[in-house]
Amino acid sequence: MEWRLTLGDIARATGGMLWYADSDEIVKDVITDSRKIIEGSVFIALKGENFDGHRFVASAVEQGAVCAVVEHWDAEDGTYPVIVVDDTYKALRDIAKLYRRQFDIPIVAITGSVGKTSTKDMIYSVLSSRFNAFKTIGNFNNEIGLPLTVFKMTSENMIGVLEMGMSNFGEISKLSDIVNPDLAVITNIGISHIENLKSQENILKAKLEILDGMQEGGTIILNGDDPFLWGLRGMIPYETLYYGIKNEECELVARNIKGFSDSTFFEFELDGEINKVEIKVPGVHHVYNALAAILVGFQYGLNAKEIIDGVAGFVPGGMRQNIIRTEKYTIIKDCYNASPVSMRSGLNVLGVVEPKVKGARKIAILGNMLELGEFAVESHKNVGKWVKEENIDCLIAVGDMAKYIAVGAMEAGFEKDRIFWFKTNAEVICALGRILEDGDCILIKGSRGARLEEVADTLYEDIITEE
């Protein structure tokens, strides 16, 4: 679809004042990075702690932008085409909302403390079995990323799958208002961002903002094994469907789960018929993602075969649980993010992945988990206890908070001579040569800020396969 919006449309949507430009000029894109300007685009001059897009207005116009959206402008700044608004972040959302309303297609919105990106990708894989779908680009799930994703929607798309992240109250509400979803999925209520929100009850409240922009007659799909979400039964003014593994009262329940080195199998029953599902990645946590996707698929009329094929086609993206086999090691690279729940899932995957050499050691290289506030020490200690429970052979903890993973492991009875702690990535990289052995199966996981991909990248000699 060609853009139909004009500069006049954008000025009206944002409540801005248009200067030095033709209000009938057609806009071809909206861009926040002046280095990516294309001919006919509108440049949004965002301002943050370490940057100010207003400095690049002249450059953006010279590169072909038809206008810049700014918060301040006067004659001394030059006669560049601008729309002056009170808040460029709000203007970006207002334009995205206007653009989204050009498309009469359903939107699936996804949030949750853990697993929302993998669930988004699983749902996209299922819906793509029948529809021309589009989804959130990578982790573009915030007040900047989600509008930029919306601008990539075209008239060829039949359905959208959009992820919504947050770190505080009010953020998801703004995103939901942009996309006007007709179906919402909440994966779980953990303790990510509890440093800001103070309690899981508040995290639940913030996640439920996904309903603020919901269309009338919409549907919400929830994880019935999560006590906070299960506690919402009968309290939400929308059709509510639950999925789970442990909770037999859910509308969709996974049974006979079997985990292997390279896949996970389970069954579900629908209308008296047993359906067998294969997820082509290891880890029981992916069963939850698949269950959410199955319910979404049935809501949009897909049949069981289309849904099962879609689940089988799921591939995790980015730095999420990539299994890399080299001449020396089997590496599970999961460096995108970390929380207590995802740490346990990662350790579970390490337990089931088969190394190249039978009987080879299982090594966990674990970094800091961020934004846990007063729960940080206890949460890291719990991860150490799970290392013991999962029968890991060696623990390497990296970072100031990760030392409590080592403490938790020792308190659980894990042998001290199999525990190593390093303050920095550079220190652990220097020590890997004396700790690792050929054939080791290695999990590398930590929060994005821990940058453990720096550790993983030092092990990638002679890559054989990447799954």
Side-chain angles (χ1 to χ4, degrees):
M1 171 185 174
E2 294 293 330
W3 277 66
R4 295 197 299 261
L5 301 183
T6 66
L7 290 180
D9 293 330
I10 289 176
R12 285 186 289 274
T14 60
M17 181 68 71
L18 181 65
W19 292 95
Y20 313 118
D22 181 359
S23 63
D24 293 327
E25 181 86 39
I26 299 292
V27 175
K28 295 183 178 178
D29 204 350
V30 173
I31 295 174
T32 60
D33 187 339
S34 62
R35 297 167 296 182
K36 298 179 180 179
I37 292 296
I38 64 170
E39 192 74 28
S41 60
V42 166
F43 171 61
I44 311 291
L46 300 176
K47 186 175 182 179
E49 290 184 8
N50 301 312
F51 66 91
D52 185 354
H54 293 78
R55 295 170 48 205
F56 304 102
V57 168
S59 173
V61 173
E62 290 167 4
Q63 293 177 68
V66 293
C67 190
V69 178
V70 298
E71 292 181 3
H72 53 77
W73 204 259
D74 56 42
E76 294 181 359
D77 295 318
T79 56
Y80 296 106
V82 294
I83 297 173
V84 184
V85 299
D86 293 332
D87 181 345
T88 51
Y89 284 92
K90 182 178 183 299
L92 177 63
R93 297 194 304 271
D94 290 338
I95 300 168
K97 181 176 180 178
L98 177 65
Y99 184 79
R100 185 270 184 269
R101 297 304 185 272
Q102 295 183 102
F103 303 89
D104 185 20
I105 67 170
I107 297 289
V108 179
I110 301 148
T111 192
S113 295
V114 180
K116 53 185 175 290
T117 299
S118 296
T119 302
K120 175 255 303 182
D121 289 338
M122 187 79 80
I123 292 171
Y124 173 82
S125 184
V126 166
L127 293 177
S128 294
S129 296
R130 178 180 294 187
F131 303 116
N132 182 333
F134 82 101
K135 65 176 180 176
T136 297
I137 307 161
N139 68 321
F140 275 35
N141 62 14
N142 62 11
E143 64 176 333
I144 300 174
L146 184 136
L148 295 179
T149 297
V150 167
F151 294 137
K152 302 305 178 187
M153 195 186 318
T154 75
S155 58
E156 296 180 355
N157 296 132
M158 303 166 68
I159 194 166
V161 186
L162 298 178
E163 176 183 339
M164 297 181 181
M166 64 90 198
S167 59
N168 222 321
F169 289 119
E171 296 174 7
I172 290 181
S173 179
K174 294 173 182 176
L175 303 182
S176 180
D177 181 59
I178 292 172
V179 304
N180 197 208
D182 69 322
L183 189 150
V185 177
I186 303 180
T187 62
N188 45 52
I189 304 299
I191 60 175
S192 300
H193 307 300
I194 202 164
E195 186 173 20
N196 295 333
L197 294 168
K198 307 306 180 187
S199 70
Q200 284 183 279
E201 288 79 7
N202 282 342
I203 292 172
L204 172 64
K205 183 178 179 181
K207 297 298 184 184
L208 285 172
E209 291 176 7
I210 200 168
L211 302 178
D212 289 355
M214 180 80 83
Q215 293 187 28
E216 185 176 351
T219 301
I220 183 165
I221 293 175
L222 304 174
N223 181 346
D225 286 348
D226 184 288
F228 288 93
L229 296 176
W230 184 247
L232 296 174
R233 287 173 300 161
M235 299 174 62
I236 298 176
Y238 296 97
E239 179 184 16
T240 305
L241 303 174
Y242 282 96
Y243 61 90
I245 295 174
K246 304 172 185 177
N247 187 345
E248 290 287 337
E249 296 184 51
C250 293
E251 279 75 13
L252 183 67
V253 180
R255 298 186 174 92
N256 299 324
I257 299 171
K258 297 178 181 178
F260 299 94
S261 177
D262 57 356
S263 58
T264 308
F265 292 82
F266 70 94
E267 297 175 354
F268 71 91
E269 182 178 343
L270 185 71
D271 297 330
E273 183 176 348
I274 302 298
N275 297 273
K276 300 180 183 295
V277 181
E278 177 188 11
I279 310 171
K280 293 182 179 176
V281 287
V284 173
H285 59 290
H286 285 302
V287 175
Y288 284 107
N289 306 338
L291 290 172
I294 290 167
L295 279 177
V296 171
F298 282 124
Q299 284 296 110
Y300 290 106
L302 275 68
N303 59 46
K305 183 181 185 305
E306 289 173 319
I307 290 171
I308 291 168
D309 288 347
V311 170
F314 163 75
V315 178
M319 290 183 284
R320 292 176 172 83
Q321 205 183 98
N322 292 317
I323 300 177
I324 302 161
R325 303 187 188 275
T326 75
E327 290 286 353
K328 290 184 178 181
Y329 313 115
T330 299
I331 303 166
I332 306 166
K333 180 183 178 183
D334 196 354
C335 305
Y336 179 75
N337 216 334
S339 69
V341 173
S342 67
M343 279 287 200
R344 184 150 207 176
S345 297
L347 290 167
N348 172 262
V349 172
L350 177 60
V352 299
V353 168
E354 293 183 8
K356 291 177 56 183
V357 180
K358 188 174 182 179
R361 301 187 307 166
K362 299 295 181 78
I363 313 293
I365 302 178
L366 306 178
N368 294 337
M369 298 181 291
L370 305 180
E371 298 184 323
L372 297 178
E374 63 184 275
F375 296 87
V377 172
E378 180 185 1
S379 296
H380 284 83
K381 283 187 176 183
N382 285 337
V383 172
K385 295 175 185 176
W386 298 332
V387 169
K388 169 67 174 176
E389 292 175 8
E390 294 289 345
N391 297 314
I392 306 304
D393 295 293
C394 177
L395 168 64
I396 301 173
V398 190
D400 53 352
M401 289 305 301
K403 66 184 176 185
Y404 293 106
I405 298 177
V407 171
M410 285 189 287
E411 291 178 350
F414 199 89
E415 291 85 348
K416 292 183 180 180
D417 61 355
R418 294 193 286 132
I419 300 174
F420 301 87
W421 174 73
F422 301 93
K423 188 172 183 179
T424 67
N425 291 345
E427 290 176 5
V428 73
I429 289 169
C430 290
L432 287 179
R434 63 180 171 82
I435 299 174
L436 299 182
E437 300 174 1
D438 288 3
D440 283 345
C441 185
I442 308 162
L443 168 67
I444 305 175
K445 184 168 180 61
S447 282
R448 185 70 190 91
R451 302 187 64 83
L452 286 189
E453 67 273 13
E454 297 173 351
V455 177
D457 291 348
T458 66
L459 303 177
Y460 295 166
E461 296 178 5
D462 303 318
I463 292 178
I464 299 175
T465 60
E466 184 166 349
E467 302 169 8

